[in-house]
Amino acid sequence: MGQANKLQPSSFLAFFIPHSSLVIPHPVSNANISHPPFPSHTTLLMPRVSISPIHVGDLNFLILDCPSDAVLPAYMPVLEENHVTDLVRICEGSPYNIKPLNDVGIRVHDDMKFTDGTAPGKDVVARWLELNDQVFFNSPEKGRCIAVHCVSGIGRAPVLVAISLIEGGMDSLDAIAYIRKVRRGALNRNQVAFLDGYKKRKNGFAAKKAAGITNGATNSSTSSSLPAASGPGIEKKKTGFISKMFGKK
């Protein structure tokens, strides 16, 4: 809100127009970005920054909502601190200028778009997994990260990340639960059904791990670092899983 001054004897309120934030807290990095000071009468607003980190084994992702040109500077330190090398934009159009990203070495991919509220087709899945292979297994650099966003970051982007977790050896139901734990409201009924029935590649991430291939190097450890399914009643398939999660239609 802006600063209000009550005018007597009338009941009108006079406001100063609020400006952008002076300090932007980052939920992931806890870093702050300082801006030039504003007039003392200004009441500061905090821009919305929504970033969810996913770090499982050799797989590192940031799920974002779609930034604008005005808010992108608030995302940049978090992307750099998490060693993001590639950013996938699933939403339609070009909502912001990618030059600030390219200037710090982040490649932007616009070739994996699919309709909001749906699951990706085979071509999109193939391109996504090819990018995963390049970033996590065919590079000598460790700790690399892929950022991905749709519009709000609760549908299409989480679906792609969940596919990667399943390819890495995580059970589909565990992947869904994990994504929802870190990204509240993620995945609709259709997307959950798609993930529940997803069949991973024969020569996917798990095969690379078994061969000891990690970040372009040979690893002596062949055990998967992905969380294993645990707890009573965890099976590959659950009868009525979709109905239990969303209720019967």
Side-chain angles (χ1 to χ4, degrees), residues 82-160:
N82 283 269
H83 308 292
V84 171
T85 59
D86 297 81
L87 185 146
V88 176
R89 302 195 298 186
I90 310 173
C91 54
E92 296 75 11
S94 302
Y96 53 88
N97 185 358
I98 66 173
K99 186 177 184 303
L101 295 163
N102 294 154
D103 287 345
V104 296
I106 297 176
R107 295 179 292 270
V108 177
H109 303 265
D110 283 320
D111 60 343
M112 304 180 209
K113 300 182 186 297
F114 55 100
T115 305
D116 188 19
T118 68
K122 292 181 179 180
D123 290 344
V124 172
V125 173
R127 287 194 292 272
W128 170 253
L129 294 179
E130 181 180 3
L131 177 62
N132 279 233
D133 286 336
Q134 292 173 356
V135 172
F136 302 128
F137 299 100
N138 298 336
S139 170
E141 300 176 20
K142 295 184 178 181
R144 303 175 86 193
C145 181
I146 298 174
V148 56
H149 74 75
C150 41
V151 176
S152 58
I154 62 171
R156 290 170 287 181
V159 166
L160 292 184

Side-chain angles (χ1 to χ4, degrees), residues 203-217:
N203 297 318
F205 302 155
K208 292 178 182 293
K209 282 178 169 292
I213 302 174
T214 303
N215 291 300

Side-chain angles (χ1 to χ4, degrees), residues 21-24 32-36:
S21 298
L22 180 64
V23 178
I24 304 173
N32 291 324
I33 298 176
S34 296
H35 294 271

Side-chain angles (χ1 to χ4, degrees), residues 171-182 187 241 245:
D171 180 84
S172 60
L173 305 190
D174 291 335
I176 292 167
Y178 185 86
I179 292 291
R180 286 184 156 185
K181 181 178 180 180
V182 299
L187 305 172
F241 166 69
M245 180 169 288

